[in-house]
Amino acid sequence: MGKVNIGLRGWRFDEDVLGEDGRVRPLATMEPEDRQRILVLADRVVDPCDACWLEYGDDKIAECNVAEVIYGEPGGEVVLCSAHEPDFLYWFREAGGSEYAGDLELQDAFHQWIVDGHRAPEGYEGLEHVDEDPTSLPDAPDRSEAIPGFEEEIAEMDESDLEAIDVDLDDLDV
Ligand SMILES: [Zn+2]
């Protein structure tokens, strides 16, 4: 089965997370871990890059680039613009970040590294963008198309469904 990015590069999903119309399937039909990642993604896809936000702060939010890529585990994820992605990759590979792989502490640890003023060395490329993955869908939908508002769906869920989702709904503007 092919893998797709939805909205942001980084996290990849089995393509059957998308329905035939190219949109994310109803949450109730998904595996719990996909559902959790989709909900975090829906929340973060509209955020500014974490590193931009740490640099500029809420006062100059307009200066921040939009998030383009997401790394880490749901709840400890980091979103980045293309300009800051090399900083994350450098931190992860060369500056001790890999010890946080799979760990929710990754987000705080990376943020602290940025706040402390560290960056990748000038010219650090990170990775050549290997977006030409043969297994990815050629026309994976863009972020606004693919990720519907989940407000209605969440409103219809009962308590046990909501508990199963296990994300902080306060973050989701529902
Ligand atoms: Zn940025």
Side-chain angles (χ1 to χ4, degrees):
M1 185 182 304
K3 297 277 188 179
V4 286
N5 296 315
I6 302 173
L8 300 174
R9 290 186 286 110
W11 286 358
R12 296 170 70 68
F13 296 85
D14 289 335
E15 62 189 321
D16 69 359
V17 164
L18 301 177
E20 285 181 4
D21 60 358
R23 289 166 178 269
V24 173
R25 281 183 189 281
L27 293 172
T29 67
M30 286 180 201
E31 297 296 321
E33 58 265 36
D34 283 337
R35 190 158 57 190
Q36 188 192 14
R37 287 201 301 158
I38 288 283
L39 282 167
V40 170
L41 194 62
D43 183 39
R44 296 288 262 153
V45 74
V46 294
D47 277 356
C49 161
D50 286 1
C52 285
W53 179 73
L54 291 166
E55 285 179 6
Y56 294 115
D58 281 331
D59 293 347
K60 292 204 264 175
I61 202 85
E63 312 268 340
C64 296
N65 296 321
V66 296
E68 294 175 59
V69 62
I70 187 164
Y71 289 112
E73 300 296 316
E77 79 288 341
V78 169
V79 294
L80 298 155
C81 66
S82 291
H84 280 115
E85 186 179 8
D87 294 318
F88 177 83
L89 293 172
Y90 178 81
W91 171 77
F92 190 81
R93 292 174 183 159
E94 317 286 345
S98 60
E99 70 184 79
Y100 297 97
D103 192 327
L104 298 186
E105 297 292 308
L106 177 141
Q107 184 184 77
D108 285 342
F110 176 68
H111 285 186
Q112 191 59 51
W113 188 78
I114 289 288
V115 168
D116 289 343
H118 301 290
R119 297 293 183 274
E122 197 69 35
Y124 185 79
E125 281 297 326
L127 77 176
E128 309 79 63
H129 284 283
V130 215
D131 277 346
E132 294 74 35
D133 183 333
T135 62
S136 71
L137 290 183
D139 52 354
D142 75 21
R143 58 182 71 185
S144 54
E145 284 285 298
I147 305 181
F150 291 116
E151 292 82 354
E152 258 176 57
E153 220 182 312
I154 288 171
E156 286 171 8
M157 285 182 171
D158 59 28
E159 285 288 310
S160 60
D161 285 335
L162 289 173
E163 276 168 29
I165 292 176
D166 190 31
V167 292
D168 185 356
L169 293 175
D170 292 339
D171 286 347
L172 291 173
D173 308 321
V174 290

